[in-house]
Amino acid sequence: MSQPSITAAEFGQLPDGQAVQLFTLTNGQGLEARISTYGGIVTHLLAPDKNGQPGDVVLGFDSVEGYLSEAYQEAGPYFGALIGRYGNRIREGRFSLDGQEYTLATNNGPNHLHGGLKGFDKVVWQAEVLVDPMPGLRLTYISANGEEGYPGTLTVSVVYMLTPDNGLRISYAATTDQATVLNLTNHSYFNLSAGASADVLGHELQLHAGRYTVVDDTLIPTGELRPVAGSPFDFSSPHAIGTRIGDVPGGYDHNWVLDGEDFRLVATAHEPTSGRTLEVYTDQPGVQFYSGNFLAGTLTGKHGTVYGKHAGFCLETQHFPDSPNQPEFTSTVLRPEELFSSVTEYRFGVKS
Ligand code: GLA
């Protein structure tokens, strides 16, 4: 195997002339990640299969134009991107904090989704290369007070680092100068077959979660944390994603209440043909398992692949949706004297 490395290349330009860079990280053990300064997007992620053959296990595009196209904006899948300020939904784009009401864009039916009209997925981040102990990329973005309606100047930094044991580790940090709300995640779509299978219905998934947040028909939690036992949401032992998806109207797009706390294994996926496995570790209380229900074959990505329904799945580690309006959920408030920090790792392996 080669030495760990990190290199930079041009990825393209935004319509306003801003240059976008693409960084390539390798860990010397067969894992390679490419990350764009636009949106902090993981555009490529190469992991070995059971025969040691590398394959690209995430959905995305080869150039920045793919992420800027009208078809992409129309579909809004957030491929591989950093999501903020608030990942997932806030009911009717409203919340109050310390007696003050805030109004955000409603960009998902009646609700606010993934930070609004121009979230962290659509801004250019400042990049800094890290080499010790492993190749890493620090991305920093300063979100102005009032941006997308959120209070406080928020300074966010995200470090992507490859670990020696084939993990892509994402460390989030943030500070604010005024009380605000925050829910950061990454929106990678995985297909561990690396293009061999057009959908992920054959992937076996296990989620270490005994409950999920029940939602209304606009995907806002009702407040009920319901046991998964005896339902199609029960992934406490491995199940193929496709086995019971027909019993979930629209497909999986829900937040699971993860067992335990601190940094721990919360999910494992296995694709039987390639043998690839994905383990997800996080310190977050929830994960949105989204089965790519809205992909509709309107986008053609890398390797000429048409992304149809269920072409990839997301495991978005997060606080529960609509937490700013649900006092019984773990708080997503960040205050000036606090440092927000969180870590999620996607670790790849093989199993026959
Ligand atoms: C999240 C949401 C989904 C959808 C996707 C992007 O996973 O929960 O409803 O918006 O992002 O298409």
Side-chain angles (χ1 to χ4, degrees):
M1 286 280 170
S2 53
Q3 288 299 309
S5 63
I6 176 164
T7 56
E10 282 173 24
F11 194 44
Q13 259 191 6
L14 300 191
D16 67 4
Q18 274 191 92
V20 178
Q21 282 182 296
L22 187 72
F23 287 85
T24 300
L25 288 71
T26 67
N27 72 340
Q29 304 291 329
L31 191 67
E32 174 178 325
R34 294 185 213 154
I35 296 159
S36 153
T37 53
Y38 176 73
I41 296 170
V42 179
T43 63
H44 301 68
L45 192 56
L46 278 72
D49 69 7
K50 61 185 176 193
N51 303 315
Q53 286 306 310
D56 193 347
V57 296
V58 294
L59 274 45
F61 301 99
D62 277 319
S63 73
V64 79
E65 284 74 39
Y67 298 93
L68 300 173
S69 77
E70 220 166 283
Y72 186 76
Q73 300 299 325
E74 177 75 16
Y78 303 87
F79 285 161
L82 293 176
I83 304 294
R85 295 189 185 192
Y86 198 96
N88 216 310
R89 294 170 179 77
I90 296 178
R91 182 195 289 274
E92 292 172 3
R94 281 198 219 132
F95 68 97
S96 54
L97 180 58
D98 299 337
Q100 176 87 33
E101 273 263 356
Y102 295 97
T103 307
L104 312 169
T106 48
N107 57 332
N108 188 248
N111 302 319
H112 178 81
L113 177 70
H114 291 338
L117 300 176
K118 189 177 176 189
F120 292 174
D121 58 298
K122 296 184 185 69
V123 302
V124 177
W125 294 66
Q126 290 302 315
E128 186 192 337
V129 166
L130 309 173
V131 288
D132 193 29
M134 287 291 287
L137 181 67
R138 176 181 287 126
L139 297 175
T140 304
Y141 178 67
I142 299 176
S143 173
N145 181 24
E147 188 174 281
E148 290 292 328
Y150 292 95
T153 307
L154 186 77
T155 303
V156 187
S157 99
V158 179
V159 174
Y160 283 107
M161 188 168 280
L162 301 188
T163 70
D165 53 359
N166 282 359
L168 172 64
R169 180 175 278 240
I170 313 177
S171 307
Y172 303 87
T175 54
T176 182
D177 64 358
Q178 257 185 68
T180 191
V181 295
L182 181 68
N183 193 23
L184 300 175
T185 194
N186 175 277
H187 211 300
S188 287
Y189 287 68
F190 300 99
N191 183 328
L192 300 178
S193 80
S197 175
D199 66 56
V200 293
L201 299 179
H203 285 54
E204 290 152 9
L205 179 69
Q206 182 171 19
L207 298 173
H208 298 284
R211 293 173 298 169
Y212 71 105
T213 47
V214 178
V215 286
D216 68 14
D217 56 9
T218 71
L219 298 183
I220 294 290
T222 62
E224 185 191 352
L225 308 183
R226 188 177 293 172
V228 295
S231 80
F233 298 96
D234 189 354
F235 285 91
S236 52
S237 61
H239 283 273
I241 291 173
T243 308
R244 301 161 300 174
I245 199 170
D247 300 331
V248 181
Y252 295 106
D253 191 359
H254 297 76
N255 171 65
W256 270 253
V257 178
L258 295 169
D259 299 339
E261 44 193 54
D262 299 330
F263 189 72
R264 69 241 187 253
L265 176 68
V266 298
T268 305
H270 173 230
E271 198 280 305
T273 308
S274 67
R276 285 192 190 85
T277 59
L278 164 63
E279 290 178 334
V280 184
Y281 296 78
T282 191
D283 54 18
Q284 291 291 287
V287 71
Q288 187 86 3
F289 164 44
Y290 170 57
S291 52
N293 314 322
F294 301 122
L295 298 175
T298 59
L299 303 172
T300 302
K302 296 171 289 183
H303 321 292
T305 310
V306 176
Y307 296 138
K309 195 170 184 177
H310 310 312
F313 67 96
C314 304
L315 291 168
E316 304 156 58
T317 56
Q318 61 181 4
H319 275 260
F320 303 168
D322 198 37
S323 293
N325 294 310
Q326 311 235 7
E328 62 285 6
F329 290 173
T330 317
S331 171
T332 51
V333 174
L334 182 70
R335 297 190 179 277
E337 62 278 10
E338 297 169 342
L339 168 68
F340 172 86
S341 70
S342 172
V343 181
T344 290
E345 185 176 321
Y346 297 99
R347 195 180 298 171
F348 296 88
V350 289
K351 179 174 111 175
S352 36

